[in-house]
């Protein structure tokens, strides 16, 4: 798949975090590799200058606390999440996963600050 970047104020190594498919540069993939390997599939993108990858998150967790979250469900599908306006997490479920998605949703990828903060500091 072809991929283009547009000039911005500051170069970055990842974009789309918080969306369905984050995009990481080679550099981000190398730094985050220990956390990505068993949790994602990296799909190479064609870019004229740098190597980028679409990140397909394969760690699907039942880590959303439905009772304490504010959730809108898909009409006619009461078990499928359309939107979450306030999140509550099941910490015991997500604590071992640096990057994940929730079951029964098609929205958002989540990255654990605990794991990633240490790795991202090394990128500076």
């Amino acid at each position: 798949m072809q991929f283009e970047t547009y000039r911005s104020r500051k170069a970055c190594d990842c974009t789309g975090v918080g969306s369905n498919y984050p995009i990481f540069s080679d550099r981000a993939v190398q730094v985050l590799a220990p956390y990505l390997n068993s949790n994602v599939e990296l799909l190479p993108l064609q870019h004229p200058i740098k190597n980028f990858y679409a990140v397909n998150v394969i760690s699907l967790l039942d880590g959303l606390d439905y009772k304490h979250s504010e959730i809108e469900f898909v009409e006619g599908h009461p078990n499928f999440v359309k939107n979450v306006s306030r999140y509550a997490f099941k910490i015991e479920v997500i604590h071992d996963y640096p990057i994940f998605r929730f079951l029964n949703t098609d929205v958002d990828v989540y990255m654990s600050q605990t794991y990633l903060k240490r790795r991202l500091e090394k990128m500076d």
Side-chain angles (χ1 to χ4, degrees):
M1 174 184 288
Q2 290 190 343
F3 171 72
E4 292 183 34
T5 53
Y6 298 94
R7 185 175 205 152
S8 66
R9 292 183 206 137
K10 186 176 179 183
C12 67
D13 289 301
C14 61
T15 185
V17 174
S19 69
N20 288 343
Y21 297 99
I23 297 171
F24 290 173
S25 71
D26 257 344
R27 181 175 174 221
V29 168
Q30 289 171 6
V31 169
L32 299 172
Y35 307 109
L36 300 178
N37 289 337
S38 62
N39 297 297
V40 305
E41 295 174 326
L42 297 172
L43 309 170
L45 299 172
Q46 295 176 351
H47 185 273
I49 299 170
K50 294 173 76 174
N51 292 325
F52 285 98
Y53 301 88
V55 180
N56 181 32
V57 177
I58 57 176
S59 292
L60 302 175
L61 307 178
D62 184 19
L64 184 61
D65 182 341
Y66 287 77
K67 183 177 179 182
H68 297 100
S69 297
E70 291 179 12
I71 301 171
E72 178 185 357
F73 293 94
V74 173
E75 189 175 334
H77 301 278
N79 295 321
F80 199 81
V81 175
K82 178 178 180 181
N83 186 45
V84 180
S85 56
R86 188 175 72 93
Y87 292 88
F89 300 102
K90 296 178 185 174
I91 301 301
E92 69 280 2
V93 173
I94 68 170
H95 78 281
D96 287 333
Y97 294 88
I99 185 168
F100 58 90
R101 290 179 57 194
F102 290 124
L103 292 171
N104 300 322
T105 70
D106 63 355
V107 295
D108 299 334
V109 168
Y110 302 90
M111 303 178 89
S112 166
Q113 290 179 347
T114 304
Y115 284 99
L116 298 179
K117 183 178 179 186
R118 288 176 277 172
R119 297 304 295 185
L120 293 174
E121 286 171 351
K122 293 181 181 183
M123 291 179 73
D124 290 334

